[in-house]
Structure formats: C-alpha cells, structure tokens
Amino acid sequence: MKFITKFYEMRQLVEELSAKRKTIGFVPTMGALHEGHLTLLRKSISDNGISIVSIFVNPTQFNNPQDLEKYPKTLNDDIQLLEKEGCDYLFYPTVEEMYPQEVKSDKWDFGPIGNVMEGKNRPGHFDGVATIVNRLFEAVPANKAYFGKKDYQQLLIIKSLVNQLELKTEIIPVDIVRESDGLAMSSRNARLTETQRKIAPNIYHTLCEAAKIAPSFGIEELKAFVKNKIESSKEMSLEYFEIADANTLEPLNFLDKNKPTMGFIVVNMNTVRLIDNIQLF
Ligand code: AMP
C-alpha cells in the first residue's frame, strides 16, 4: 500500500489511474478502523480496480471540542489492517493540506434532511461533513465512494451533495456492521468502560423490539417504549429516538406499513455518543 499525504499528489495520481482506465473506489474514514470500515473497503476492492482509503479526523464536523480531542487515533494498527485487506492507497493528509486557507466550513443547504436529528442536535455538523467530503472528492474523484448506513442521515446528505454539485462519483451505501452482541461497530466504542460496553448492546436490542412491535403500536407509544427501555439503565441517556420517512427523513405522525420508515436513535453513555438505526417498515 502506498501512503500519500499531499492533496495534489493524490489528485494527480487518481487522474493518471483514470487515464489508464482503472476504476477507482474510495472509502473516506476518520481512522481507528474496525470491521465496519473494512467491510466498506472489501466492497470497494471487489467492485473496482484500485481502492483508496482516506483517514482524516475532520475538525469542522465536531461541534463538541472534547469529542474531537478524545477521538481515538490508531494509525499504526490502521495501516496494518489496510495492508492486510489489500488496500492500494492510504490518503492521510494534514489539516493544513485539507484547509489551506482557514479551518472553517462552507455553508450548505440540504433542505429538510439537513435540519432534523443530527442536523438539529449538532449545529454545523453537516456543513463540516459536506465541506470535507467535497474537498476529499476533489482529491479523489473516484468512480464509486462507499458510506455506511450507520450514519444514515450523513449518507443522504452526501447523496444530495453529489446531486447538487453534479459529481460523477456514485455513492454506494453499505449495511451496518455489528459486534456479535448487536452493538453497531464504532470507533467511539473503544471509549466505553467495561460496564458501559456490557450494557451498550441494549441500544440495538431495543431497536429490534421496537421494530417487532411497531405494527401494533402508535408512534407516541413506540417512542415511549424506547425511552423507557433505554433509560431503565442509569448508564444511558436517550438524546433522541425519531421515527421518520426513510427517503426524506420527514418525521412521521403516524405509522404506515406501506411507507419505508426508519427509527433513528442516539444514546449518550457519559461522554460517549452512540448512534444507530433500524428499518421499521
Ligand atoms: P467514520 O470513520 O466513523 O467517519 O466512518 C467512516 C465510514 O464508515 C462512514 O461511511 C461510516 O458510516 C462507515 N461506518 C462506520 N461504522 C460502521 C459500521 N458499524 N457499519 C457500517 N459502516 C460503518
């Protein structure tokens, strides 16, 4: 695997590879890699001639400075995992490379999908995400880019960004990868204490129960069920559980089994913020 830190070197290389008719798959990450990231990479490797992973902890998408400061960094382990999978290039730029002028987000308008849930609770988060993904796509104008459904709202934001900018990169969604006990894999899981880690799978178990009972419940009853279940543990505090249209993220007032519907959850365990989602209909 080749290691590239310079923006223009990366861009030039992708242009050369494309000129040689290689198809390029791109997996943007913030590092501290786990099976979730590696699943995206494996999909890229099976779909494309060349696969590029980026590791960049983007300061502008963190609305909480503590979260940024405590974000796990495991570069040596990450490199070993990528080598083992057969990744072709690791793009590992500095903050100065990605933000040569000022470390600041551009302003974006994604309509309703940008204003609910993560958009509402983490002001500026999606402006930061869109700014960095746009810049990463400038460095790596890939044929396909891979994003996890774990960050479902982010996936829709990136699809919208690609449409708005008329980029040629195809966005490929990848299903959530879970630990054997159901906890959605996340770089942040490493920050859970042993006790918190034992309790954390309750998030997914609660979502599964909610999906099971949804056909016979009303929206408010279902929300109350999830809140009670989560908060029955004093280690967990529910930031939100939203039920929304799977395509528009419009919050729903009633459940309709003929409409693609998702449940979205964020739970805080002390300072660790865990996100997950499930299809309800
Ligand atoms: P991150 O490093 O957390 O920014 O994630 C990089 C990419 O990996 C994003 O597209 C995430 O949605 C995806 N990802 C992270 N965790 C998982 C997971 N457990 N399952 C599937 N995709 C994931």
Side-chain angles (χ1 to χ4, degrees):
M1 181 177 71
K2 295 222 173 67
F3 194 86
I4 293 178
T5 58
K6 297 283 177 223
F7 182 93
Y8 282 105
E9 192 185 334
M10 187 73 255
R11 168 95 193 187
Q12 198 183 344
L13 201 118
V14 173
E15 282 170 359
E16 283 166 16
L17 291 166
S18 298
K20 288 186 196 151
R21 299 190 164 275
K22 300 273 188 199
T23 56
I24 316 275
F26 181 35
V27 181
T29 81
M30 297 203 296
L33 301 181
H34 50 65
E35 273 296 309
H37 300 113
L38 298 181
T39 303
L40 271 62
L41 172 60
R42 284 177 203 135
K43 182 102 184 66
S44 171
I45 290 174
S46 83
D47 290 352
N48 302 282
I50 297 285
S51 288
I52 303 174
V53 169
S54 66
I55 295 182
F56 181 69
V57 182
N58 173 35
T60 65
Q61 73 188 67
F62 286 82
N63 52 323
N64 175 352
Q66 253 204 349
D67 194 23
L68 171 60
E69 191 192 316
K70 295 212 169 116
Y71 202 84
K73 290 174 193 71
T74 58
L75 183 62
N76 289 338
D77 291 350
D78 292 352
I79 290 173
Q80 283 194 12
L81 289 171
L82 295 175
E83 295 264 13
K84 196 163 147 239
E85 291 300 329
C87 177
D88 299 290
Y89 295 94
L90 170 60
F91 181 43
Y92 183 73
T94 58
V95 172
E96 292 73 28
E97 276 298 307
M98 295 312 278
Y99 292 95
Q101 313 280 350
E102 197 183 346
V103 184
K104 190 166 165 272
S105 303
D106 304 325
K107 287 274 168 256
W108 298 79
D109 184 1
F110 295 107
I113 58 162
N115 299 331
V116 294
M117 300 187 291
E118 297 300 274
K120 185 163 130 200
N121 286 25
R122 302 182 69 187
H125 171 65
F126 286 131
D127 281 338
V129 168
T131 301
I132 198 61
V133 171
N134 182 31
R135 181 94 177 128
L136 285 166
F137 282 179
E138 279 170 12
V140 187
N143 299 84
K144 293 183 174 159
Y146 297 79
F147 290 87
K149 290 191 195 169
K150 175 169 162 285
D151 303 289
Y152 189 90
Q153 191 174 4
Q154 168 176 284
L155 175 67
L156 296 192
I157 292 278
I158 288 160
K159 283 186 174 174
S160 168
L161 174 140
V162 163
N163 279 336
Q164 283 183 34
L165 302 178
E166 299 182 13
L167 302 180
K168 287 198 303 278
T169 304
E170 185 185 351
I171 302 303
I172 311 288
V174 178
D175 285 343
I176 300 177
V177 180
R178 299 181 179 282
E179 301 285 356
S180 55
D181 57 14
L183 177 64
M185 290 195 181
S186 164
S187 307
R188 291 185 174 91
N189 293 350
R191 291 182 45 217
L192 295 171
T193 64
E194 210 176 308
T195 313
Q196 288 170 336
R197 176 63 190 81
K198 282 200 187 120
I199 299 164
N202 286 347
I203 299 170
Y204 180 57
H205 299 159
T206 303
L207 288 180
C208 290
E209 280 188 65
K212 209 150 95 200
I213 61 178
S216 50
F217 269 55
I219 284 244
E220 291 313 320
E221 271 177 311
L222 199 57
K223 284 188 172 174
F225 169 83
V226 168
K227 187 168 170 57
N228 286 338
K229 271 293 236 199
I230 292 292
E231 295 194 337
S232 65
S233 157
K234 66 174 176 17
E235 301 277 346
M236 289 190 177
S237 116
L238 182 68
E239 187 174 311
Y240 65 74
F241 173 64
E242 289 292 348
I243 297 170
D245 181 296
N247 299 313
T248 63
L249 298 188
E250 178 199 355
L252 298 176
N253 295 321
F254 57 91
L255 290 168
D256 173 358
K257 65 176 172 18
N258 297 312
K259 189 177 209 155
T261 303
M262 309 267 304
F264 296 95
I265 195 164
V266 169
V267 171
N268 288 293
M269 299 192 78
N270 196 5
T271 58
V272 186
R273 190 172 186 274
L274 300 174
I275 189 166
D276 204 344
N277 64 69
I278 198 161
Q279 184 166 0
L280 297 175
F281 296 115

